[in-house]
Amino acid sequence: MLFITLLDVLLALILVALVSGNNLSVSTGPIISGRVVNKRTGVLITILGYVSGFLLQGSILRKGISSLLPAGSLLIPVILVISIIMFIIAHKKRVPESLSIIFISALIGVSLAYGSINTIYVAEILSFWIVAGIVSLVLASVVLHRVQKLMYRDNVWTGIHWVRILLIIISFLTAFTLGANTLGTIASVIQPSLYVYVAIIVSIVLGSVLLSTGELHRLGDEIMPMRYANALVSQLVAAASVELATLLSVPLSNTQMLTSTIYGTGLGYKERLLSKKPAVQIVSIWIITAVFSVAVAYAASAVILAL
């Protein structure tokens, strides 16, 4: 049992590092690609946000995840290993991946193999994902018009100056919600302790510094050249959605929400600067990894339980 517990912690730390690096583009990709801050400063802002969110709100997700996780710690490594494999692939492909989709899909596979699944909680998660994505897309488009009017109402340069400051603040809040929801989801399957929390913080730092380069420009540059106004609105609406999900103990991907809000703000421009190809690639990978995670988690769990 001690070996399994240590294995859970080790796998969780590896996953935290991978997720921290992969999802850094979600937090500070817009302000780095928009030249609001340089890469070093952007990474520092993200790390501070990750750690703050994880320490202050990360435990909220434990209640929801524990209601879905079957009894028996023997199955936890299955979920973590599948998530690690998916994020290694995503890192190689330079695609921001959704931990929530992979993790919950693997959890569902494990629960199905175990013969017990919390269908109410699963339905709540799936419904929240769909509704939040649609609402965020529409809301981002509406809010963008208001922000543009405020920016250019008086002195345009004064407006841009304040938007740049707000972008830095919102980027920190985005990282905060990611630390609370996404990293909190990972930590919810291992036993909490001071040593574990310190190790997670170290993994956050290492992952953010060493594993973020490839993904940094995917959302900010390749889907659409990020202007200050749509970058601000995209992150604001996405962060608000994830924070609401955290308070409800529902895992929700910042990557999902930011992709949705980027397209929402893109619809607010007369010029259609949106590129469909990166989004199609991202969504396709989400669907494939979800199906793969359920199938592999079910098969692996069934074999383990049969032993």
Side-chain angles (χ1 to χ4, degrees), residues 189-298:
V189 298
I190 59 177
Q191 294 298 319
S193 72
L194 177 60
Y195 298 108
V196 169
Y197 275 38
V198 170
I200 287 176
I201 292 173
V202 173
S203 293
I204 289 173
V205 174
L206 292 177
S208 298
V209 173
L210 302 177
L211 302 175
S212 60
T213 302
E215 297 86 349
L216 255 178
H217 303 297
R218 171 70 75 163
L219 285 178
D221 288 340
E222 295 185 22
I223 289 181
M224 183 179 74
M226 293 293 281
R227 301 175 179 179
Y228 290 153
N230 62 296
L232 173 64
V233 173
S234 295
Q235 288 193 297
L236 175 61
V237 175
S241 300
V242 177
E243 177 62 16
L244 175 61
T246 300
L247 297 176
L248 295 175
S249 193
V250 175
L252 180 65
S253 168
N254 290 70
T255 307
Q256 288 173 271
M257 290 300 97
L258 187 60
T259 301
S260 178
T261 55
I262 285 176
Y263 273 87
T265 57
L267 294 174
Y269 290 104
K270 293 181 180 179
E271 309 93 343
R272 291 295 183 260
L273 301 176
L274 294 167
S275 175
K276 295 181 181 180
K277 185 177 179 180
V280 171
Q281 290 176 340
I282 292 172
V283 174
S284 297
I285 288 176
W286 287 346
I287 295 173
I288 293 170
T289 54
V291 174
F292 178 85
S293 298
V294 172
V296 174
Y298 175 83

Side-chain angles (χ1 to χ4, degrees), residues 74-75 77-79 81-82 106 109-110 113-114 292-307:
L74 193 63
L75 299 177
V78 173
I79 301 167
V81 168
I82 291 173
V110 168
Y114 198 81
F292 178 85
S293 298
V294 172
V296 174
Y298 175 83
S301 299
V303 171
I304 292 173
L305 292 172
L307 296 177

Side-chain angles (χ1 to χ4, degrees), residues 132-180:
I134 296 173
V135 171
S136 296
L137 188 148
V138 175
L139 186 60
S141 180
V142 173
V143 173
L144 178 66
H145 289 292
R146 299 297 303 169
V147 170
Q148 287 176 320
K149 288 181 180 179
L150 291 174
M151 280 181 64
Y152 305 121
R153 185 177 59 181
D154 298 313
N155 187 296
V156 62
W157 295 113
T158 301
I160 291 175
H161 171 74
W162 283 108
V163 167
R164 288 168 65 95
I165 294 175
L166 288 173
L167 269 172
I168 295 173
I169 296 172
I170 295 301
S171 294
F172 170 82
L173 293 177
T174 300
F176 180 96
T177 59
L178 200 150

